[in-house]
Amino acid sequence: MSQIASNIAEKASFQAFFNCYLKEVDAGDWSPASRWQMSVGRLGDVAKDKWIVEISLPHLAGKLAVNVEYRSLVGNHRFGKVLIQVDKFSWKVVSETHALQQLIEGIFHAKSAAFECKQELMLRVIESQRLMTQYIEERRGDPSLSKPNFIDAEQSLLFGHWQHPTPKSRQGMLEYHHAFYAPETKGRFPLHYFSIDHALIKQRSAIPLTAEEVITESLPAAADKPETHIVVPMHPLQAQWLLHQNDIRELIKAGDIKDLGSYGPEFTATSSVRSLYHPNLDWMYKFSLPVKITNSLRVNKRHELDAGVVMATLYRKTGFSERHACFKVITDPAYITVDLPGQEESGFEVIIRENPFPEGNDQDVVTIAALTQSPMPGESSMLYDVISKLANRNEADYLRIAIKWFAKYWECAIEPMIALYDEHGIALEAHQQNSVIEMKEGLPSVYYFRDNQGFYLSKAYRGYLETMEPDSVTVDSLYFDDDVICDRFAYYLFINHLFSVIGRMGADGLVEERILISFVQQRLYALRNNLSGAGKLFVERLLSESAIPVKANLLTRVHDVDELLADNEQAIYCTISNPLVMTCLEEPMEVSYASA
């Protein structure tokens, strides 16, 4: 690997980890860099017009000092040099990797029982940084990284989730797998097929076609089968896992399952790794994978399959997108799997997803994660490029165009989601990777939400939703109390999603974050007057509560929690100060951003 790629990945890995640390573990002591340099008698290592944040390292009886090149009101700080205290009057510059190791040691200090968790976290951090280096080395300079079309944007996330300590952790993928199956490498590969006795098959569909018919029509390779069998496609990694399971091997020996191997059209991975895309097909396929991606082993749970079908029907019946033409939900209207005795999931679970972006309809369609991702050194972000082209085309200043873009995005994405919750009691787990925006002449025109795991139905609306779609009450995992929904909705829609746009525009110098936060406040106050249901409670909490819940990805990793296996798929949460209720949006001298 080149030193350039390694340095870029090291810096990006530290930035992701340390932003999580400040939110979840220790907010640190903030002071202007010039004042800090005078207090420690050290000059030249940090920019005088920036900030320094100090973190105590109890295991060293010293401190870590990090130069903050950009201080964000929404928590997406950008960091420079890192120093560690050698003694009372002496500091030395250290690498970001060394700083990461010391932060991890500090987290687990005096917790000998947590040794295995510490090793697990350290391994994931190392693996994530190594893979990031590998992806950067392969893709650096690739012009498709900045192309605003669907699959190029999906495969451009070289840095990954900006609020995750191990954004590229993928335990379970071998070295040679990445060239084929990682979205960042743009690999293409055929699916693996099994011919399965129809008596073992369980399938369900919310559309006129059955899951079997969708597969047969979209994958001609699946049409050639005995009358008593159904062909089921599988991700090659999952297929290899299945072929090593004793119960599957017995069924193969008995002739109930036949291994047909890999063939047919080649797919490529979207940003989730396990949802696969083909430019000439009307459907995408989402598979289980024997891989831990960020926090969890990625398994299609049985209740999620049913939830996807139920929500496809329920959402259609709301008629919401007919009334809000700029807002769409990409549904998962069908699934197919194998039923095995005594098993909730067999491993054959296949989710069938709509593909609104086949070739010809895939231009100017970008996931928000790609749009707001930090740029490579010396380059600009995708969002900056969009604003820049729009401003130059209209001979307008960047500030005015950026605010116009943000306002249009609010109208396409944020306001409709709050209205959906208010009118129908349906909240969406709309994090930045689940959010796709279509742009027309550079401005947001249609927002798309995707993810059958990402629906929350209000228990207060249960009777109303049952009347609309009786099957909605058969999936208990969809229903939550409004207090829980408000917490999760606040994190996903604002902290994870909208604040990534605000932070990106601020860091890019397009609009000061305080201006955009003020814009959001004003829109929420205006919106509150038109709401009458759960959305009103949600907005009132956003505007009044001093703390806002945040998914604690670092603490989830510290305790080695697989959130998909936890009760209610609940990760660890902490709280941060709510920027939306700050009475003064001027830059404070010292702000506590987190309490965990």
Side-chain angles (χ1 to χ4, degrees):
M1 297 295 172
S2 74
Q3 192 60 46
I4 293 175
S6 179
N7 290 343
I8 294 171
E10 183 178 31
K11 190 174 182 65
S13 296
F14 178 78
Q15 174 147 323
F17 189 99
F18 196 51
N19 269 321
C20 291
Y21 187 97
L22 293 174
K23 288 185 181 75
E24 304 172 34
V25 180
D26 184 352
D29 295 319
W30 293 71
S31 56
S34 56
R35 191 175 76 187
W36 182 85
Q37 289 186 124
M38 291 179 61
S39 69
V40 301
R42 187 178 182 91
L43 300 174
D45 284 326
V46 296
K48 293 181 181 179
D49 60 337
K50 304 300 181 182
W51 291 79
I52 289 289
V53 58
E54 284 188 344
I55 299 294
S56 294
L57 297 174
H59 64 292
L60 296 180
K63 293 182 179 181
L64 182 79
V66 181
N67 185 30
V68 183
E69 295 180 344
Y70 174 76
R71 187 176 186 183
S72 170
L73 290 173
V74 297
N76 191 7
H77 312 296
R78 188 172 67 238
F79 306 111
K81 288 184 178 179
V82 186
L83 299 93
I84 279 186
Q85 190 175 28
V86 178
D87 54 46
K88 187 174 181 180
F89 302 104
S90 179
W91 296 74
K92 68 174 181 179
V93 176
V94 297
S95 69
E96 287 91 348
T97 298
H98 180 72
L100 272 175
Q101 292 169 344
Q102 296 308 318
L103 288 169
I104 293 172
E105 290 290 344
I107 290 172
F108 289 95
H109 182 59
K111 294 182 180 180
S112 57
F115 177 78
E116 289 185 2
C117 290
K118 182 175 77 172
Q119 293 298 99
E120 177 73 8
L121 176 58
M122 192 75 78
L123 285 171
R124 291 197 188 195
V125 167
I126 293 169
E127 184 218 19
S128 176
Q129 185 171 318
R130 182 184 66 81
L131 286 177
M132 194 185 296
T133 302
Q134 179 179 322
Y135 298 151
I136 292 169
E137 173 76 4
E138 183 164 337
R139 297 290 304 281
R140 192 163 60 93
D142 184 346
S144 66
L145 284 173
S146 58
K147 283 185 179 178
N149 64 45
F150 176 71
I151 196 60
D152 283 327
E154 291 291 310
Q155 298 182 332
S156 71
L157 299 176
L158 305 188
F159 298 142
H161 190 345
W162 70 280
Q163 296 189 63
H164 200 285
T166 59
K168 289 299 168 184
S169 174
R170 289 172 186 171
Q171 291 177 313
M173 289 181 72
L174 302 178
E175 191 65 36
Y176 74 92
H177 287 158
H178 296 274
F180 296 96
Y181 308 126
E184 297 84 356
T185 61
K186 304 166 67 174
R188 297 182 182 275
F189 54 92
L191 302 180
H192 195 111
Y193 295 87
F194 292 91
S195 177
I196 301 171
D197 190 307
H198 66 80
L200 298 174
I201 292 290
K202 171 71 174 179
Q203 59 179 311
R204 188 174 179 184
S205 175
I207 56 177
L209 293 175
T210 65
E212 177 189 358
E213 289 169 338
V214 170
I215 291 168
T216 301
E217 288 191 9
S218 64
L219 301 172
D224 185 16
K225 56 181 175 54
E227 288 186 8
T228 58
H229 279 221
I230 292 173
V231 173
V232 176
M234 199 57 49
H235 191 292
L237 289 180
Q238 185 69 3
Q240 289 305 308
W241 180 86
L242 287 164
L243 289 170
H244 285 83
Q245 305 309 304
N246 288 333
D247 51 356
I248 305 302
R249 293 164 70 91
E250 289 299 319
L251 288 167
I252 290 174
K253 190 182 297 183
D256 296 319
I257 295 178
K258 295 179 181 178
D259 176 16
L260 302 180
S262 297
Y263 57 93
E266 292 189 332
F267 285 76
T268 192
T270 63
S271 57
S272 71
V273 184
R274 62 197 184 111
S275 294
L276 306 184
Y277 170 85
H278 191 287
N280 299 325
L281 298 181
D282 293 330
W283 304 99
M284 290 186 253
Y285 290 90
K286 182 178 179 180
F287 301 97
S288 294
L289 284 184
V291 178
K292 279 189 175 181
I293 301 172
T294 58
N295 285 349
S296 305
L297 187 66
R298 298 299 163 164
V299 175
N300 290 333
K301 308 295 267 183
R302 188 58 175 271
H303 68 84
E304 294 165 359
L305 273 60
D306 287 313
V309 173
V310 168
M311 289 308 304
T313 302
L314 177 60
Y315 183 75
R316 185 179 68 248
K317 289 182 176 180
T318 66
F320 190 81
S321 288
E322 282 70 33
R323 297 189 302 278
H324 300 266
C326 64
F327 183 86
K328 308 289 184 186
V329 170
I330 300 173
T331 61
D332 298 334
Y335 72 79
I336 192 166
T337 187
V338 171
D339 256 342
L340 295 180
Q343 296 187 22
E344 192 69 21
E345 290 88 29
S346 63
F348 280 97
E349 289 71 29
V350 181
I351 293 169
I352 298 172
R353 172 173 291 174
E354 295 175 304
N355 178 18
F357 314 119
E359 193 170 27
N361 293 323
D362 59 343
Q363 300 301 304
D364 296 316
V365 176
V366 185
T367 174
I368 294 303
L371 199 66
T372 62
Q373 179 178 226
S374 295
M376 287 285 190
E379 299 180 9
S380 52
S381 72
M382 191 182 293
L383 180 56
Y384 184 90
D385 288 344
V386 168
I387 301 298
S388 173
K389 290 176 184 176
L390 195 57
N392 293 335
R393 187 188 310 139
N394 291 278
E395 298 182 350
D397 67 85
Y398 284 32
L399 174 64
R400 186 171 70 82
I401 291 298
I403 293 175
K404 181 179 181 180
W405 195 98
F406 188 80
K408 187 65 176 173
Y409 187 74
W410 175 274
E411 293 162 6
C412 283
I414 310 302
E415 195 166 297
M417 275 189 273
I418 296 173
L420 179 64
Y421 182 40
D422 189 68
E423 295 172 21
H424 302 290
I426 301 172
L428 305 178
E429 198 171 280
H431 58 67
Q432 55 186 281
Q433 188 175 303
N434 278 352
S435 299
V436 178
I437 192 72
E438 181 179 344
M439 294 176 286
K440 187 174 183 180
E441 297 181 351
L443 287 172
S445 59
V446 182
Y447 169 86
Y448 294 87
F449 170 80
R450 59 179 177 189
D451 190 7
N452 70 330
Q453 296 170 279
F455 293 98
Y456 301 96
L457 304 186
S458 168
K459 288 182 178 178
Y461 287 68
R462 191 179 182 109
Y464 160 75
L465 294 172
E466 181 179 13
T467 301
M468 184 183 299
E469 173 49 53
D471 277 353
S472 66
V473 296
T474 65
V475 187
D476 286 335
S477 61
L478 287 170
Y479 283 91
F480 295 84
D481 292 325
D482 282 311
D483 280 345
V484 174
I485 293 175
C486 284
D487 283 352
R488 295 196 188 185
F489 202 22
Y491 165 68
Y492 285 111
L493 185 58
F494 281 83
I495 300 295
N496 185 300
H497 177 168
L498 187 63
F499 285 4
S500 72
V501 180
I502 292 174
R504 183 77 268 139
M505 284 190 167
D508 286 348
L510 293 168
V511 191
E512 287 187 42
E513 290 184 23
R514 74 186 76 243
I515 294 174
L516 296 177
I517 290 173
S518 180
F519 173 96
V520 172
Q521 288 173 318
Q522 293 170 28
R523 288 297 180 101
L524 287 173
Y525 277 117
L527 186 59
R528 184 178 61 175
N529 297 329
N530 298 320
L531 301 174
S532 58
K536 189 177 185 71
L537 169 67
F538 174 64
V539 169
E540 286 176 344
R541 287 177 58 161
L542 285 173
L543 291 170
S544 63
E545 296 190 354
S546 60
I548 193 167
V550 172
K551 185 179 175 185
N553 286 311
L554 175 54
L555 293 179
T556 299
R557 287 276 45 81
V558 165
H559 297 286
D560 197 20
V561 175
D562 185 327
E563 60 192 282
L564 296 184
L565 299 179
D567 291 343
N568 291 325
E569 297 184 2
Q570 178 72 58
I572 296 172
Y573 274 70
C574 63
T575 60
I576 63 169
S577 298
N578 182 1
L580 298 174
V581 298
M582 291 171 64
T583 56
C584 175
L585 293 176
E586 295 180 0
E587 190 77 85
M589 291 297 290
E590 294 185 12
V591 176
S592 175
Y593 279 92
S595 63

